[in-house]
Amino acid sequence: MLVKVSVENFKSFDKAAELTMISSNKIRTNANHRLKIKSTQLLKYAVVYGANASGKTNLALFFKFFKDSVCNGIPIEATQMFCKNRQENKERESSFEIQITVGDKFYAYGFSAVLSRRKVTGEWLYELYQNGSAKCLFEREGSKRPVLNDGITLTNTEKNKFETYADDFEGNETSLFLTEMNRGKKYSTRSKLLFFRDVYDWIQNHISIITPDTPLIDLEYYYDDNSLKLINKLIKTFDTGISQVKIEEITLDELSNALPKSVFDKMMQHVKNRMEEQEEPSFRMTMRSKETFFNIEVEGHSEPKVTTIRLHHNKSFYEFGFDEESDGTRRLFDLMDMLLNKREDVLYVVDELERSLHPKLTERFLQLFMQLHDEQRMQLLFTTHESSIMDQAIFRRDEIWFVERNAENASSIDFIDHFDDTFSNLYFYGDTGIGKTFLSNCVAKELMDHGHSVIYFTAFQLFDILSKGVFAKDEEAIAANENIFTCDLLIIDDLGTELTNSFTTSQLFLCLNERILHRKSTIISTNLGLSQLTDLYSERILSRIMDNYVLIKLFGEDIRMQKRRR
């Protein structure tokens, strides 16, 4: 299972950013969202929320890049993947690390590289222990010879083999040693070098990445009778109008005519590679392009059997092809593998889970995923900008992460984790009932649990306190005024719902400006867009917010209305 990831100088991530799946001991809700491995409680879900262009997709791309680099070598396009917000980043090291469990063992594997030159500058693998200590299994520095831990006792045969592999690899700056140790190498069941195979296998076979624009997806569920029954049962629960899913066999020529040549050639090369990996090939896989959906079955060395799906709708005389369905229905079939897969220890990374789906369909999908994999070692990490997904009834607070862009146009993960060392302010805006207050309260609770002072006011309450301090000389109000300017975090909820006048405008500017000068963070939630903010207050206030706040627009359907319809 995934434990933690860290990334630095990659895409929009400039400084080191981390995301952890280790659960918080302070949160008691949804205890079934955790799995205990030894003494560590790991979360099964992570929701990565961010506004458009915040960098959340780049977190999903990290997993794709990491997997591609380990399995196939650092890709050519990596030369442009360094963080481009600073000139020196082109020649600066980028760093990548994942911490995982394989069985009941904990590992940390990572590498560093100058991406612009595809030059590997370091690589390491550690075994981690529950007491916080770690043992280095192997490491390499630049083109130097990889070094194995002295405490690993090898047989003479294994020692000679490793020495040969390490000697041959010396001087290599373009490949990863973990990859090399899995290129045609065989390990006995008692080998002390099995960690090379185990870690590589987890990265290669236990991470599944699904993005909205992936032209070709290799999924695993089969069109056998049992799977087809379950697919039909599940598809009806989504209220798509589909009453039955059928399969229809087609020829390779028909498949070739249905796909662009480049996609067909890529798919057939993929099938060929899979066949060459096995002496007696036997596998099935599902291939999905934008408007097509095919299942390919290989038994032995005979021609692959190809099937496609046909869909029957309620009260419809004719069947429909996959290309005739809506984007939302097609998206459901992208995600169906996640519901049907019964393999243990799989991490699904999904970019924009809600893409083309109605919020209620997204919620229903998440509920089904949790029900079907309740007792499995299966994790789901997904990005979204749909605020209604983050309902506290669905997810724990420690499962929700925020990606934001700072003033230097670099992404960071989580406002809370960097609160002590980074000055940042948030401006949540969007329609009524989409979760702005809920998000603010989540942040407030976490920061208070970490010992920070947080004050929450609705806009009406804030200006009422400020006016009493100025005009009535109320002692309690005067004391509250001081706290408003000095607390670690001030939350102003529903800005724009108060009665606005010259006093509220001047006091709002004073409050925001003083807190910026003293580097005290503020969260504002409002229904007001930026143009409305200028009309209601002033250009000076807009200027302060534009220059010093991360603007996060929330999308979605009114959560209160959704709950009333349930």
Side-chain angles (χ1 to χ4, degrees):
M1 293 183 71
L2 180 69
V3 180
K4 182 187 290 187
V5 299
S6 63
V7 56
E8 181 177 357
N9 192 23
F10 176 76
K11 305 293 279 188
S12 58
F13 293 101
D14 183 9
K15 297 179 181 178
E18 289 187 353
L19 182 149
T20 178
M21 301 296 283
I22 299 174
S23 72
S24 168
N25 294 327
K26 297 178 181 178
I27 299 173
R28 305 299 180 189
T29 58
N30 291 325
N32 61 329
H33 288 201
R34 303 183 303 172
L35 279 174
K36 189 173 184 178
I37 299 181
K38 291 188 175 178
S39 61
T40 303
Q41 293 278 9
L42 294 178
L43 295 168
K44 297 180 69 175
Y45 312 107
V47 186
V48 181
Y49 179 85
N52 289 329
S54 62
K56 60 185 183 296
T57 291
N58 291 332
L59 183 62
L61 290 177
F62 156 78
F63 285 95
K64 184 179 186 305
F65 167 81
F66 195 92
K67 181 176 179 177
D68 286 347
S69 296
V70 170
C71 297
N72 305 307
I74 296 177
I76 294 175
E77 55 267 27
T79 57
Q80 298 298 316
M81 288 183 174
F82 59 89
C83 183
K84 295 181 178 179
N85 70 331
R86 291 191 294 158
Q87 184 177 359
E88 58 267 30
N89 283 351
K90 183 175 182 179
E91 296 299 322
R92 178 178 147 225
E93 277 188 349
S94 298
S95 181
F96 312 91
E97 183 180 279
I98 64 169
Q99 294 182 19
I100 61 173
T101 65
V102 180
D104 289 336
K105 289 188 176 182
F106 287 70
Y107 295 102
Y109 170 73
F111 62 92
S112 58
V114 178
L115 294 181
S116 62
R117 291 187 276 148
R118 297 171 68 205
K119 176 183 176 181
V120 178
T121 56
E123 187 181 4
W124 57 90
L125 176 60
Y126 285 79
E127 184 174 355
L128 309 177
Y129 300 106
Q130 297 299 289
N131 62 6
S133 63
K135 178 174 77 174
C136 178
L137 298 176
F138 91 89
E139 61 182 347
R140 62 179 283 208
E141 182 180 341
S143 61
K144 293 181 180 178
R145 184 180 184 275
V147 177
L148 195 67
N149 186 292
D150 292 337
I152 298 175
T153 305
L154 303 178
T155 64
N156 289 334
T157 301
E158 280 190 322
K159 185 177 181 180
N160 291 335
K161 284 184 177 180
F162 181 83
E163 295 294 329
T164 301
Y165 300 151
D167 288 342
D168 290 346
F169 198 80
E170 186 174 6
N172 192 327
E173 292 183 329
T174 60
S175 303
L176 296 172
F177 190 59
L178 181 68
T179 310
E180 179 60 32
M181 289 299 288
N182 284 275
R183 187 175 285 120
K185 310 294 191 296
K186 293 184 178 180
Y187 299 96
S188 68
T189 55
R190 295 184 179 182
S191 173
K192 300 291 186 176
L193 300 176
L194 271 177
F195 56 82
F196 281 108
R197 187 196 67 187
D198 291 344
V199 172
Y200 179 87
D201 176 74
W202 195 93
I203 296 169
Q204 181 185 45
N205 298 314
H206 293 259
I207 303 177
S208 181
I209 303 149
I210 300 175
T211 63
D213 300 318
T214 303
L216 200 63
I217 297 177
D218 183 356
L219 305 176
E220 297 183 3
Y221 73 79
Y222 310 147
Y223 287 154
D224 55 33
D225 290 340
N226 290 333
S227 291
L228 198 58
K229 287 178 183 177
L230 186 53
I231 290 170
N232 276 301
K233 182 179 178 180
L234 290 173
I235 203 70
K236 291 176 184 177
T237 69
F238 288 105
D239 194 26
T240 60
I242 297 172
S243 59
Q244 188 177 16
V245 180
K246 297 180 178 180
I247 59 172
E248 179 181 280
E249 187 170 351
I250 63 173
T251 66
L252 276 176
D253 287 339
E254 289 174 308
L255 177 61
S256 175
N257 293 333
L259 294 174
K261 185 177 185 303
S262 60
V263 175
F264 178 79
D265 290 345
K266 181 179 179 181
M267 182 191 65
M268 294 309 296
Q269 184 62 48
H270 185 77
V271 171
K272 182 181 177 182
N273 293 341
R274 289 283 300 271
M275 292 178 70
E276 290 176 350
E277 290 172 0
Q278 305 174 25
E279 291 183 8
E280 289 296 326
S282 178
F283 60 88
R284 298 177 183 177
M285 57 189 182
T286 300
M287 298 296 202
R288 153 87 153 93
S289 66
K290 187 175 181 181
E291 296 181 345
T292 55
F293 204 96
F294 300 102
N295 188 67
I296 299 175
E297 180 180 354
V298 173
E299 289 292 340
H301 294 279
S302 58
E303 184 176 281
K305 176 183 176 182
V306 183
T307 55
T308 188
I309 60 174
R310 304 291 294 175
L311 306 165
H312 187 80
H313 286 251
N314 294 323
K315 299 180 180 179
S316 175
F317 185 78
Y318 295 100
E319 292 177 344
F320 291 79
F322 188 73
D323 59 326
E324 297 176 276
E325 295 296 332
S326 67
D327 288 343
T329 299
R330 295 179 200 169
R331 181 66 167 157
L332 279 177
F333 278 88
D334 276 352
L335 305 175
M336 195 67 72
D337 177 70
M338 296 166 57
L339 300 178
L340 296 170
N341 195 347
K342 295 299 182 183
R343 283 201 304 130
E344 280 288 318
D345 198 6
V346 175
L347 167 66
Y348 282 104
V349 179
V350 185
D351 187 30
E352 295 186 19
L353 177 72
E354 80 288 357
R355 176 79 169 263
S356 300
L357 294 179
H358 187 277
K360 288 190 70 66
L361 280 181
T362 306
E363 182 179 342
R364 178 60 181 149
F365 172 83
L366 290 168
Q367 290 170 343
L368 278 172
F369 184 90
M370 292 174 180
Q371 290 169 14
L372 292 169
H373 304 304
D374 184 40
E375 298 181 359
Q376 283 184 273
R377 283 193 183 187
M378 190 170 290
Q379 292 172 298
L380 169 61
L381 185 157
F382 67 92
T383 70
T384 181
H385 59 66
E386 172 59 60
S387 59
S388 63
I389 289 175
M390 292 179 286
D391 190 320
Q392 59 186 333
I394 303 176
F395 292 104
R396 297 159 51 99
R397 287 198 312 276
D398 54 353
E399 293 172 326
I400 298 174
W401 293 78
F402 297 93
V403 175
E404 59 182 9
R405 290 264 190 165
N406 59 26
E408 296 177 346
N409 201 34
S411 298
S412 62
I413 301 177
D414 211 281
F415 174 83
I416 295 167
D417 276 1
H418 296 278
F419 190 82
D420 290 320
D421 50 45
T422 302
F423 172 61
S424 184
N425 305 288
L426 303 178
Y427 185 87
F428 293 142
Y429 68 109
D431 294 335
T432 301
I434 58 173
K436 301 184 295 292
T437 299
F438 170 68
L439 292 181
S440 300
N441 288 337
C442 284
V443 175
K445 178 66 168 61
E446 288 297 310
L447 289 178
M448 286 191 292
D449 286 347
H450 286 77
H452 292 286
S453 59
V454 179
I455 294 179
Y456 168 93
F457 284 125
T458 64
F460 178 84
Q461 292 170 331
L462 175 68
F463 293 116
D464 183 55
I465 291 287
L466 292 174
S467 65
K468 287 179 180 177
V470 173
F471 299 117
K473 303 300 181 183
D474 183 284
E475 291 185 5
E476 289 186 5
I478 292 172
N481 282 4
E482 293 179 1
N483 291 331
I484 287 170
F485 293 113
T486 59
C487 64
D488 294 334
L489 175 66
L490 173 67
I491 297 176
I492 306 173
D493 194 19
D494 278 339
L495 183 67
T497 57
E498 78 286 354
L499 180 63
T500 55
N501 51 43
S502 59
F503 172 78
T504 56
T505 298
S506 64
Q507 289 297 302
L508 179 60
F509 177 80
L510 175 66
C511 178
L512 300 185
N513 196 53
E514 284 295 310
R515 291 188 63 80
I516 290 168
L517 291 174
H518 291 91
R519 297 182 67 78
K520 296 293 184 180
S521 294
T522 305
I523 295 178
I524 296 173
S525 70
T526 179
N527 295 347
L528 302 175
L530 298 181
S531 60
Q532 295 168 301
L533 187 72
T534 309
D535 294 340
L536 200 57
Y537 299 103
S538 68
E539 290 189 2
R540 288 203 306 167
I541 289 174
L542 175 66
S543 175
R544 291 297 185 276
I545 289 174
M546 290 290 290
D547 290 344
N548 297 280
Y549 282 66
V550 176
L551 307 180
I552 300 178
K553 184 172 184 179
L554 305 188
F555 299 86
E557 187 179 352
D558 190 324
I559 297 171
R560 301 180 188 92
M561 295 299 293
Q562 290 185 52
K563 289 182 176 179
R564 285 178 189 172
R565 292 196 294 265
R566 289 173 183 170

